[in-house]
Amino acid sequence: MTINIGIVGLAQSGQTTIFNALTKGQAETKSATPHIGTAKVPEPRLKALADMLQPKRVVPTEVSYIDIGASVKGGERVMGGQILGELSHTDALINVVRAFADDSIPHVEGSLDVERDIAATDLELTLHDAGIISRRLERIETSLKGADPTERQLLLKEQQLLARLKTELEKEIPLRQLELTADETKAIANFQFLTAKPRLIAVNIGEGQIGGAASMEAELNSRHAGAGSGVITLCGKLEMELTQLDDEAAKVFRAEFGITEAGLERVIKLSYQLLDLITFFTTASDEVKAWPVPRGTTALKAAGKIHSDMERGFIRAEAISYEDLMKCGSLAEAHKKGRLRLEGKGYTVQDGDVITFLFNV
Ligand SMILES: Nc1nc2c(ncn2[C@@H]2O[C@H](COP(=O)(O)OP(=O)(O)OP(=O)(O)O)[C@@H](O)[C@H]2O)c(=O)[nH]1
Ligand SMILES: [Mg+2]
């Protein structure tokens, strides 16, 4: 299972640097073509399960990052609709904002201003979404002319909803902040609006700013944290350099700078929170796998993530919490103690559940 995250931001804010830090990649920072790279989601429970069950294969969740390579051409930023369109399939966005000072790297706006830069990217995403709506509204207008009564009703309903969204976007309110009904959310899902996606603001700080990072983060969060939105401070350049070291050496270096957790881990943890994801595990076929699903997912839908046959032929799920299984020491022991729960289609999967799905096709 892969979670897709897109990286956006102003030119020269450190998008590619942070992309490299997150994916342990070595993408050329000067290239203007999109970079795609993956990272494995750090999950200590997966390792503990693997130690216990000794499977042939251990399969972590992956996050795929896309750095769309917004770049400057003759001082002008090129990040048109087409480039932003590359982000339509993503599950969430990271907006890199420059806070590091470096006279040798001119800021595109001439000065450092985190709030202004957050607003600038927000505006760009807002305009992108508003553009999609305008084009759709025009088409609806045309379609209405030849529509039969049933079609007409559907089109008018869509027109009304889109007009409402457009009004909000014109007030520079991102769509993720609107309270939409489940039906409305479903009706607009296919448009893949960028301002509807969860968004993490990654403030790219210089090494000299690490001491003040926590308070800067808290202060920015007081303004920008909310449903599907959060702020993290990150020393992109340092984190990128640390990917060249092995884990132990990197840890020692981080400690010297007073950083307790790797940037990659913090970004992934926060992304999970913003996406409201939980993790369940499967152990079938000599493989231990981690699966991310939205909180509230039923056993039936969770089975469908693994294979559509499993959803179609779903019989029941055998589930045990990670803690319970660790206490038992083995699946056989958990069986003997009657700790495996039999759950039906409607069971809400819990974070840490270890599940075996029974199905027939
Ligand atoms: N001093 C300092 N330089 C940094 C930091 N982060 C990035 N840089 C430098 O800033 C420049 C731009 O970084 P990139 O990662 O290429 O920025 P970008 O947003 O991908 O830029 P474009 O793709 O060209 O829009 C590079 O020379 C980086 O080495 C930092 O934390 N401190
Ligand atoms: Mg770049």
Side-chain angles (χ1 to χ4, degrees):
M1 273 297 295
T2 305
I3 297 159
N4 290 293
I5 298 184
I7 299 175
V8 293
L10 297 188
Q12 299 291 290
S13 56
Q15 299 157 92
T16 302
T17 303
I18 286 182
F19 168 85
N20 282 335
L22 293 173
T23 60
K24 299 193 197 288
Q26 291 171 27
E28 178 54 56
T29 60
K30 286 195 184 67
S31 117
T33 49
H35 306 120
I36 295 173
T38 59
K40 294 181 171 48
V41 175
E43 173 53 85
R45 293 175 298 183
L46 186 68
K47 189 176 179 305
L49 284 173
D51 288 345
M52 173 194 278
L53 302 166
Q54 297 290 321
K56 274 220 181 77
R57 251 163 48 98
V58 182
V59 186
T61 298
E62 287 199 340
V63 181
S64 171
Y65 292 98
I66 174 164
D67 168 22
I68 52 171
S71 201
V72 263
K73 261 191 197 152
E76 194 71 10
R77 201 165 126 67
V78 192
M79 187 165 167
Q82 211 186 345
I83 297 182
L84 284 178
E86 306 234 15
L87 298 171
S88 66
H89 73 285
T90 58
D91 302 304
L93 300 177
I94 292 179
N95 175 13
V96 175
V97 181
R98 172 171 170 177
F100 71 86
D102 188 332
D103 291 338
S104 69
I105 303 158
H107 189 293
V108 276
E109 301 285 346
S111 64
L112 285 177
D113 185 336
V114 169
E115 284 299 333
R116 177 201 60 207
D117 292 355
I118 292 172
T121 299
D122 276 352
L123 180 62
E124 213 161 353
L125 301 178
T126 302
L127 290 173
H128 173 83
D129 286 353
I132 293 175
I133 293 183
S134 298
R135 287 192 292 279
R136 177 63 192 150
L137 285 173
E138 274 168 31
R139 297 192 66 167
I140 290 177
E141 223 28 86
T142 315
S143 306
L144 274 170
K145 285 177 190 140
D148 65 36
T150 342
E151 273 169 7
R152 191 177 167 76
Q153 231 183 359
L154 286 173
L155 286 168
L156 287 174
K157 206 171 150 196
E158 190 187 344
Q159 188 180 47
Q160 218 174 26
L161 174 60
L162 290 180
R164 200 176 107 212
L165 301 187
K166 199 168 170 221
T167 311
E168 299 295 336
L169 288 172
E170 277 160 5
K171 288 186 271 181
E172 292 184 32
I173 295 172
L175 299 180
R176 81 177 79 82
Q177 280 178 17
L178 306 188
E179 285 185 18
L180 300 177
T181 65
D183 275 352
E184 287 170 341
T185 304
K186 214 169 137 195
I188 64 166
N190 279 337
F191 292 110
Q192 293 283 0
F193 291 124
L194 298 181
T195 67
K197 295 180 190 293
R199 180 272 316 259
L200 181 63
I201 297 168
V203 181
N204 186 15
I205 57 172
E207 288 167 19
Q209 292 166 295
I210 291 171
S215 62
M216 183 181 192
E217 201 172 288
E219 202 258 326
L220 284 164
N221 264 312
S222 73
R223 249 167 298 141
H224 296 286
S229 175
V231 184
I232 190 171
T233 51
L234 199 65
C235 192
K237 200 170 167 210
L238 178 68
E239 291 287 348
M240 179 172 139
E241 284 160 7
L242 291 183
T243 61
Q244 306 301 317
L245 303 178
D246 65 45
D247 288 353
E248 268 314 304
K251 216 167 157 180
V252 173
F253 253 90
R254 273 197 194 89
E256 275 172 25
F257 278 101
I259 303 172
T260 48
E261 205 179 5
L264 164 71
E265 301 201 4
R266 294 185 66 218
V267 166
I268 287 182
K269 240 187 239 173
L270 270 161
S271 306
Y272 262 63
Q273 273 172 30
L274 292 182
L275 287 159
D276 208 12
L277 294 174
I278 59 164
T279 303
F280 75 88
F281 304 94
T282 56
T283 59
S285 319
D286 220 0
E287 290 183 339
V288 174
K289 284 191 184 183
W291 301 87
V293 284
R295 190 182 307 283
T297 296
T298 60
L300 185 67
K301 286 291 165 207
K305 290 267 171 202
I306 298 171
H307 200 292
S308 56
D309 282 349
M310 272 198 190
E311 185 172 349
R312 220 174 307 126
F314 186 97
I315 301 171
R316 63 172 182 272
E318 278 182 4
I320 181 169
S321 73
Y322 166 81
E323 284 81 16
D324 245 10
L325 178 55
M326 293 320 269
K327 263 184 228 147
C328 292
S330 74
L331 272 169
E333 191 60 24
H335 249 298
K336 225 168 30 193
K337 288 191 172 142
R339 300 299 303 168
L340 284 160
R341 292 173 272 123
L342 296 185
E343 306 284 3
K345 288 180 182 178
Y347 168 69
T348 305
V349 174
Q350 303 296 311
D351 184 48
D353 273 352
V354 180
I355 306 182
T356 306
F357 293 102
L358 302 175
F359 68 108
N360 69 38
V361 276

